[in-house]
Amino acid sequence: MEQTMLELLSQYGYWGIFFFLVLGIVGLPLPDEIMMTFIGYLASAGQLDLALTFISSLLGSICGITISYFLGGRLGYPFLKRYGNKFFINRRRLRMTQFLFRKYGNWVLFFGYFIPGVRHITAYVAGISRMPWTRFAAYAYTGGLFWCTTFIGLGYLVGANWERAITTFEHYGALTIWVLVPLLLITLAWFIYNQHQRRYNSNS
């Protein structure tokens, strides 16, 4: 898996990251979290630029979920029921996503990124239900921001131990989000502060 991702990055660079996330969000069975954690590690090792890595990932996830939203709005439930399996969207996942929407409302678009098998469907359901685009964007794009920050930040933070970190996340599931997100946000703030201080000191 690591070698495959390295070949993808060496051939397509940041465009490879972008399209990987687009296709993963639309529904192809791609290891999105593994890819983002891995490129976070590469950024920490100086092999990728952190800002460009983050931007390409965020834009890829936003574009992917927006495509799903418009497909859902235009094609509706009959399309998903008939052709959903081709996008790895089966009826069980569709029913589970509908249940989560009924229970948690629009917030499913935000935290659904962290649930494999659900993040591929939330935007389809939002489009089918004719959710206003502004409301969809507010929840889905903010969720994408936190999702990318979490896994790229995780890879950047743990470095060469990124595979062990992914194993831990898969083992403990959503419980780790309550620990990871605050920790990564603090780390990101510290990184930005340090960068600002270095620029200030170099200019003074």
Side-chain angles (χ1 to χ4, degrees):
M1 176 63 69
E2 181 176 339
Q3 187 60 36
T4 302
M5 291 188 292
L6 278 173
E7 291 173 0
L8 175 70
L9 292 171
S10 64
Q11 188 168 356
Y12 299 106
Y14 299 106
W15 282 109
I17 298 172
F18 172 81
F19 284 111
F20 191 96
L21 269 296
V22 170
L23 296 174
I25 291 293
V26 168
L28 295 186
L30 299 175
D32 304 314
E33 289 97 344
I34 293 176
M35 167 61 101
M36 288 195 291
T37 309
F38 178 62
I39 59 179
Y41 153 62
L42 292 181
S44 73
Q47 297 183 47
L48 291 174
D49 180 83
L50 180 61
L52 291 176
T53 297
F54 180 79
I55 291 170
S56 58
S57 299
L58 180 60
L59 290 178
S61 63
I62 286 175
C63 287
I65 205 164
T66 303
I67 290 170
S68 299
Y69 169 79
F70 283 112
L71 285 176
R74 182 167 293 273
L75 302 176
Y77 275 121
F79 172 80
L80 282 187
K81 289 179 179 178
R82 187 168 183 179
Y83 299 106
N85 284 331
K86 296 183 184 297
F87 296 92
F88 301 92
I89 300 173
N90 55 42
R91 295 194 176 189
R92 183 184 64 82
R93 289 179 175 178
L94 182 57
R95 285 196 298 269
M96 181 171 63
T97 305
Q98 290 172 317
F99 168 77
L100 291 173
F101 260 106
R102 287 194 296 270
K103 188 170 184 179
Y104 299 107
N106 301 328
W107 284 103
V108 176
L109 287 165
F110 180 90
F111 69 74
Y113 282 95
F114 296 91
I115 308 175
V118 169
R119 65 171 166 267
H120 309 305
I121 310 174
T122 54
Y124 285 106
V125 175
I128 290 168
S129 63
R130 304 294 180 184
M131 178 185 292
W133 182 82
T134 51
R135 190 191 309 164
F136 161 79
Y139 286 91
Y141 295 176
T142 306
L145 176 66
F146 274 80
W147 186 54
C148 293
T149 300
T150 298
F151 287 99
I152 293 174
L154 176 64
Y156 192 89
L157 186 65
V158 302
N161 296 314
W162 69 274
E163 289 182 279
R164 186 181 303 173
I166 279 291
T167 302
T168 302
F169 175 80
E170 290 175 346
H171 181 73
Y172 292 102
L175 180 64
T176 56
I177 298 301
W178 298 102
V179 178
L180 279 177
V181 172
L183 177 62
L184 292 169
L185 288 177
I186 292 170
T187 303
L188 181 62
W190 174 82
F191 176 79
I192 294 172
Y193 173 78
N194 270 0
Q195 291 292 101
H196 175 75
Q197 286 296 103
R198 287 178 187 173
R199 289 175 185 172
Y200 177 79
N201 292 334
S202 63
N203 292 330
S204 60

